Amino acid sequence: MKTSIKNRFIWLNGKVVPLQEATINVLSPTSQFGANVFEGIRCYWNEEEEQLYAFRLDDHFNRLKRSQRLLELDDTYTIEEMKKAFVDVIKANEYKEDIAVRQTLFVDGFGTWHSSGPVGMFVAPIPKAKTNPEYNKKGLNCCVSSWQRINDNSMSPRIKCGANYINSRMAQREAVKNGYDTTIILNKDGKVSEGPGSCLFIVRDGKLVTPQITDSVLESITRDTIIQIARDVLKLEVEERSVDRTELYMCDEAFLCGSAMEITPVFSVDRYQVGNGECGEITSELHVEYLKTVTGKQPKLDNWSTGIY
Ligand code: PMP
């Protein structure tokens, strides 16, 4: 690694600049109202090939475009331009290790919360890939949140908008205050949705079950990857359906997942032990296959890796 975390380079509005120079206007709508959409993209270093592979890059950029269109932000950057900025800034930092990259489209300028532009973009690679404390735990003790997940008729959880994370923030802070690692949030109908920054799977009688996307869940790339691994590699039955709260207390295994979190087992929910209180067998198998998939070593699935160098 050429650059330390503090001295890394950021891509901002067309230029690669040192972190200290990557500043934005305090009056911008992104600063004042969270008017931005973003992606968290993982890259995995392959030692043998001396290559850094980005995972499901096109899928991330397609989701970013969908988020941008839904919020009616000006269409300032093409997918090709977004991809070039992503590659250029990683190269500028000369990263040869696993990284996470935050790529954000934001409303800049002096407008207000409903302004459509001007739209800026930054791309920030983060060498310490697992950024939140709960992402570094072996297993999680979760509660069910007293907060309700945002829904498609208020703020759509389907897309990744900065302001959506105020809902996640309330839920996460409540959980930690009450002695839990993180939380599982129910939707407006009282069905299980997702974690504050991750999707949820449970295992019941050998079947993998996850809340359907229309139950107030982000269109998660990890969730989709896990469904494909389960079906095509492990030949497991997968159900995408509404999940009741009590199923969290009765399931054999549970885990949260996301680009940053990968697959992290849930050991308990509201102090009900999940399975035997350790990482379950199916969760372990999925984790092994997931790591093979993100590092491009899973021949049974699409090649989802893009080489940076
Ligand atoms: N749900 C929420 C609310 C999230 O913030 C994230 C992580 N960004 C996820 C799910 C997982 O999404 P992905 O697999 O695309 O990283």
Side-chain angles (χ1 to χ4, degrees):
M1 176 180 42
K2 186 182 140 204
T3 40
S4 68
I5 295 180
K6 273 193 188 152
N7 295 319
R8 64 181 188 251
F9 292 108
I10 307 286
W11 191 103
L12 176 66
N13 297 336
K15 286 195 209 125
V16 172
V17 294
L19 174 68
Q20 291 77 4
E21 290 172 30
T23 55
I24 59 159
N25 167 17
V26 291
L27 292 178
S28 59
T30 185
S31 163
Q32 294 201 74
F33 308 109
N36 59 66
V37 293
F38 69 98
E39 288 296 316
I41 305 168
R42 289 297 300 269
C43 300
Y44 292 85
W45 176 245
N46 184 316
E47 196 63 59
E48 294 108 72
E49 296 177 33
E50 294 256 305
Q51 178 60 283
L52 186 65
Y53 284 112
F55 187 60
R56 297 192 68 167
L57 205 47
D58 289 335
D59 296 307
H60 279 287
F61 290 138
N62 286 332
R63 185 172 66 184
L64 191 55
K65 272 269 152 212
R66 292 200 299 273
S67 300
Q68 173 239 313
R69 289 189 61 234
L70 191 73
L71 292 195
E72 299 192 316
L73 307 187
D74 291 348
D75 190 5
T76 307
Y77 292 98
T78 63
I79 288 192
E80 280 319 304
E81 287 164 338
M82 296 198 285
K83 202 181 277 185
K84 185 170 183 318
F86 179 91
V87 171
D88 286 352
V89 73
I90 295 172
K91 283 185 175 164
N93 283 285
E94 297 180 7
Y95 285 131
K96 296 192 168 166
E97 61 192 284
D98 293 355
I99 56 170
V101 182
R102 170 64 36 90
Q103 187 143 355
T104 301
L105 295 170
F106 59 91
V107 184
D108 205 350
F110 293 90
T112 186
W113 40 268
H114 53 84
S115 305
S116 62
V119 167
M121 178 165 73
F122 75 79
V123 192
I126 306 161
K128 189 178 168 294
K130 294 187 176 182
T131 44
N132 294 357
E134 84 262 25
Y135 293 178
N136 289 311
K137 299 235 159 135
K138 280 212 174 84
L140 301 166
N141 294 304
C142 302
C143 58
V144 170
S145 186
S146 77
W147 294 94
Q148 189 179 86
R149 187 78 181 122
I150 46 176
N151 71 79
D152 208 56
N153 291 319
S154 58
M155 297 174 78
S156 179
R158 185 187 297 280
I159 58 162
K160 270 178 95 70
C161 164
N164 283 5
Y165 286 81
I166 296 304
N167 177 240
S168 300
R169 177 187 171 94
M170 298 310 281
Q172 178 66 15
R173 290 193 67 88
E174 175 194 55
V176 171
K177 250 187 314 202
N178 291 333
Y180 299 95
D181 298 314
T182 190
T183 183
I184 297 164
I185 316 171
L186 307 182
N187 67 19
K188 69 176 187 357
D189 302 316
K191 301 294 178 187
V192 174
S193 66
E194 59 183 343
S198 52
C199 280
L200 174 89
F201 283 82
I202 59 172
V203 176
R204 295 200 66 190
D205 302 325
K207 263 189 250 168
L208 199 60
V209 182
T210 192
Q212 59 206 356
I213 290 288
T214 48
D215 272 344
S216 295
V217 176
L218 176 75
E219 293 188 340
S220 153
I221 288 164
T222 315
R223 176 186 177 279
D224 178 71
T225 304
I226 290 168
I227 290 172
Q228 293 197 46
I229 292 173
R231 287 191 175 136
D232 299 348
V233 181
L234 297 178
K235 308 291 175 202
L236 290 172
E237 203 177 315
V238 184
E239 283 180 358
E240 294 179 68
R241 61 162 173 83
S242 288
V243 174
D244 279 338
R245 175 179 188 153
T246 50
E247 293 189 88
L248 300 172
Y249 305 152
M250 300 190 305
C251 60
D252 307 314
E253 300 181 30
F255 61 87
L256 290 173
C257 70
S259 298
M261 187 173 247
E262 298 176 331
I263 291 178
T264 305
V266 172
F267 288 171
S268 68
V269 183
D270 286 342
R271 310 287 181 215
Y272 284 90
Q273 182 174 293
V274 173
N276 59 8
E278 292 168 8
C279 182
E281 214 172 292
I282 290 179
T283 307
S284 295
E285 284 174 31
L286 279 168
H287 198 189
V288 169
E289 297 305 329
Y290 182 77
L291 292 178
K292 272 197 219 164
T293 305
V294 293
T295 50
K297 295 170 191 154
Q298 178 53 267
K300 291 190 194 115
L301 291 172
D302 286 351
N303 186 355
W304 278 322
S305 299
T306 305
I308 299 296
Y309 294 110

